Amino acid sequence: MRLYINIDHVATVRQARRTDEPDPVRAAVLAEIGGADGITVHLREDRRHIQDRDVELLLRTARTPINLEMAVAPEIVDLAVAWLPAQVTLVPERREEVTTEGGLAIPSPVGGSALETAVCRLRDAGIRTSLFIDPEPDTIRAALDLGVEAVELHTGEYALASGAEKERQLARLRRAAALGRSLGLSVHAGHGLTCLNVGPVAEIPEIEELNIGHSIMAHALFVGMERAVREMKDIVRFARRGV
Ligand code: PXP
């Protein structure tokens, strides 16, 4: 099981001040030291968090594979084909959304669609391509027909559910993972996963990669807060030569 860390939120904090810290490239180094198997970044069309410069630097400095999340937008596909990340995950993207909402809708027929064009261009460039989709059998089969190597199952509905509905969503993920694997697809999963809910998903044997961002960034703030305050306090004290 590979754990890919989504570091978009580091860029979100930086963009809140349009400054140069915190740098997601430094976050990637620390994530790798912590054991990340890969780094995930979503280059949104509106560049609200990750910037082109971040992806370019990550591709040059990361020691683990970069998974570039992106919309089916010709301008972003152009960049991916020029940059050649190890993996691209195609996601739906709406400007108003807070985060990715739901999986990618695969049009029927898919022939001639923007999605098919994007997948062909990425495949021709030799980039491993994954589609972020809802855990639905028809969507998994449609992904296979498109010729992608992998699907990332959207775990958001599982993450939000409780009680019997959570069990139902988990069973849905299990069935989808088994189907995907039986068709020869690599099966990834992600969205809304936390320390509290990741266990049952990580237990699904067919899932080989997890993408987790928000919960890890939230936890990192808290495990780092005390030290960050202490270091600032030391600097202020030292400036006054106090004790
Ligand atoms: N996978 C995809 C395709 C996503 O869009 C996101 C959110 O950017 C994630 C995984 C990670 O979700 P979360 O931040 O909730 O862990």
Side-chain angles (χ1 to χ4, degrees), residues 19 32 46 69 77-78 80 87-88 92 104 140 152 156 158 160 166 169 177 217-219 223 233-234 237:
T19 178
E32 287 175 340
D46 63 8
E69 272 183 21
V77 176
D78 287 346
Q87 179 170 293
V88 157
L104 204 58
I140 293 167
E152 179 177 336
Y158 157 78
L160 288 176
K166 199 165 203 74
Q169 290 295 340
M217 298 305 127
H219 189 54
V223 295
K233 183 116 185 184
D234 286 349
R237 272 212 202 107

Side-chain angles (χ1 to χ4, degrees), residues 6 8-9 40 42 44 49 67 69 89-92 99-101 132 152-155 189-194 210-216:
N6 183 315
D8 293 349
H9 283 3
T40 296
H42 184 170
R44 298 186 74 102
H49 40 54
N67 172 36
E69 272 183 21
T89 301
L90 292 171
V91 299
T99 181
T100 315
E101 293 166 356
F132 183 56
E152 179 177 336
L153 303 178
H154 182 30
T155 50
H191 212 283
L193 296 176
T194 69
L210 292 178
N211 275 282
I212 306 183
H214 181 85
S215 168
I216 294 172

Side-chain angles (χ1 to χ4, degrees), residues 123-139:
R123 189 188 319 118
D124 290 350
I127 302 170
R128 184 173 198 273
T129 304
S130 174
L131 297 186
F132 183 56
I133 57 168
D134 292 327
E136 284 300 319
D138 289 349
T139 319

Side-chain angles (χ1 to χ4, degrees), residues 216-237:
I216 294 172
M217 298 305 127
H219 189 54
L221 276 182
F222 283 175
V223 295
M225 184 67 73
E226 203 179 313
R227 180 168 163 193
V229 171
R230 193 170 295 121
E231 287 181 4
M232 181 61 84
K233 183 116 185 184
D234 286 349
I235 293 165
V236 171
R237 272 212 202 107

Side-chain angles (χ1 to χ4, degrees), residues 158-170:
Y158 157 78
L160 288 176
S162 56
E165 178 58 16
K166 199 165 203 74
E167 280 310 310
R168 210 184 67 76
Q169 290 295 340
L170 188 58

